[in-house]
Amino acid sequence: MSDQPAHAPYDALLLLSFGGPEGPDDVVPFLENVTRGRGIPRERLKEVGRHYFLFGGVSPINEQNRELLRVLREELAGAGLDLPVYWGNRNWTPYLTDTLRQLVADGHRRVLTLATSAYASYSGCRQYRENLADALAALEAEDLPVPRVDKLRHYFNHPGFVRPMVDATLAALDALPEEVRAGAHLAFTTHSIPTAAADTSGPAEDHGDGGAYVAQHLDVARTIAEAVRAETGTDRPWELVYQSRSGAPHIPWLEPDICDHLEAVHGEGAPAVVMVPIGFVSDHMEVKYDLDTEAVAKAAELGLPVARAATVGADPRFAAAVRELVLERAAAERGERPERCALGALGPSHDLCPVGCCPARSPRPAAAGADSPYA
């Protein structure tokens, strides 16, 4: 029997997230990080950041990641896994490069990464991989050890991600007034992206007609809707809708927008709507503002009762899913054939992003994929 730990060959887990401001003075510098290279004037960034200022300049995402970090550490330790968990952000402290410096200083050389984005897309996967490559290049330039970094597969359809959202949808239905609950529609929401980016999301064979991004979201939405029907005995109308568009008006983005959708279903006689943010891991600013503020205001204007389901966040079932994904990937790296859990029709995603998967807007190195310069 091998004396290797169950997580071998990995010796660290990296929680990789977007980051967010933690006070009013952070908002514009944070947005400068997010939009670097686009030439957006500072005054425009102040306008863009207005929704952060409504919340005291604090995005909830960092505090939510601290909680997820705590739960992940407890889950791994409770399973007897001596696997340290680090946290780095793309756009705010703790910065990814600083985290990797600390990680290698602590002696770690084989790292598995959990990105707080569950689906395939350029912004949800490839861009994280580009940031990893940039950070590894910085370590290399400083003559520091460069660790081997892999990324956990897309977990959008893992039971530990889906089942908490089923329960959250049921809880949101229960929060509606009883007289409208039976006829409530479900609106599954995710971040809108340019249709060109959607069409090229996922492996090349999945490109076109919304690509893997739309297909994966539809599969999750259908899975949750079917579970809610089984639980309640009611077959509810549902639709995949989008939010948080930020691009130039002349560039086509995925539609319909959640506010337009609320107006449309209200006009068709829907008595109520439950908004289910399946595209987001936690209740960060795009959920708190775009749904809880803007969409709720639109619903109030229409006189349409709405409730919003919680995101997965630090649900213990999600932490357990991450543990399972870590052990699954570790076993695969050791040449074993682990069981790979997935709900819905699409099956488990690939471990290694292939060449041509979610291509960049312009060619840039990306780590943790078949085209990685740091394999």
Side-chain angles (χ1 to χ4, degrees):
M1 179 179 293
S2 171
D3 58 359
Q4 288 189 103
H7 52 75
Y10 297 105
D11 57 16
L13 177 65
L14 170 65
L15 173 64
L16 176 57
S17 194
F18 193 81
E22 300 201 77
D25 293 342
D26 296 345
V27 172
V28 172
F30 162 73
L31 292 173
E32 287 175 333
N33 287 341
V34 174
T35 61
R36 182 173 287 115
R38 301 184 201 174
I40 300 176
R42 192 174 178 86
E43 289 306 311
R44 172 60 180 153
L45 292 178
K46 289 180 181 177
E47 181 184 341
V48 170
R50 68 189 187 282
H51 52 289
Y52 288 100
F53 292 117
L54 291 175
F55 294 85
V58 179
S59 168
I61 192 170
N62 279 355
E63 190 56 40
Q64 290 162 1
N65 279 325
R66 291 185 186 99
E67 178 64 10
L68 179 57
L69 194 67
R70 182 189 67 80
V71 173
L72 286 173
R73 286 170 173 163
E74 287 183 355
E75 174 66 30
L76 294 172
L81 300 176
D82 183 17
L83 187 69
V85 188
Y86 292 77
W87 168 37
N89 288 326
R90 291 170 50 197
N91 298 297
W92 201 247
T93 57
Y95 287 108
L96 171 60
T97 304
D98 293 336
T99 299
L100 286 177
R101 287 192 187 102
Q102 184 60 55
L103 190 148
V104 297
D106 292 343
H108 302 296
R109 299 293 182 268
R110 193 74 190 270
V111 183
L112 196 49
T113 302
L114 166 68
T116 55
S117 177
Y119 301 84
S121 69
Y122 173 77
S123 57
C125 183
R126 174 83 191 192
Q127 196 168 21
Y128 281 83
R129 294 175 50 223
E130 290 176 351
N131 294 146
L132 278 167
D134 290 343
L136 294 172
L139 267 60
E140 189 174 41
E142 296 166 13
D143 291 324
L144 293 173
V146 178
R148 162 75 180 270
V149 179
D150 293 327
K151 180 176 174 289
L152 288 174
R153 67 175 170 93
H154 300 303
Y155 48 84
F156 64 92
N157 57 0
H158 193 286
F161 186 69
V162 175
R163 286 175 180 151
M165 290 191 290
V166 172
D167 290 346
T169 305
L170 293 168
L173 282 166
D174 286 344
L176 288 171
E178 186 175 359
E179 63 272 16
V180 299
R181 191 178 303 151
H185 290 211
L186 305 178
F188 295 100
T189 77
T190 191
H191 205 301
S192 184
I193 61 175
T195 56
D199 288 346
T200 56
S201 58
E205 60 267 22
D206 294 336
H207 290 180
D209 198 24
Y213 186 76
V214 171
Q216 290 171 359
H217 281 88
L218 284 173
D219 196 48
V220 172
R222 187 174 297 107
T223 300
I224 295 173
E226 289 174 354
V228 169
R229 176 188 54 76
E231 184 75 21
T232 64
T234 301
D235 193 7
R236 300 176 183 279
W238 64 268
E239 188 169 346
L240 176 63
V241 302
Y242 302 91
Q243 61 176 88
S244 311
R245 174 184 171 137
S246 59
H250 67 281
I251 298 175
W253 282 52
L254 294 173
E255 296 177 335
D257 177 77
I258 177 62
C259 291
D260 294 337
H261 175 72
L262 293 176
E263 194 160 359
V265 297
H266 173 66
E268 294 164 3
V273 174
V274 167
M275 300 180 290
V276 188
I278 60 173
F280 306 93
V281 172
S282 64
D283 284 8
H284 55 63
M285 187 59 71
E286 287 172 317
V287 176
K288 291 292 188 184
Y289 183 77
D290 297 344
L291 293 183
D292 294 353
T293 304
E294 285 193 330
V296 166
K298 169 57 74 173
E301 173 191 316
L302 296 169
L304 176 67
V306 293
R308 199 263 292 172
T311 52
V312 172
D315 189 294
R317 290 169 292 180
F318 180 48
V322 174
R323 172 180 52 77
E324 291 175 12
L325 289 167
V326 166
L327 296 180
E328 170 197 299
R329 181 61 180 274
E333 290 295 307
R334 296 193 301 266
E336 300 168 20
R337 297 174 62 87
E339 181 181 355
R340 296 162 61 83
C341 294
L343 299 176
L346 296 181
S349 185
H350 49 262
D351 280 338
L352 194 67
C353 292
V355 175
C357 190
C358 305
R361 297 162 184 151
S362 56
R364 283 183 60 190
D371 54 354
S372 171
Y374 296 102

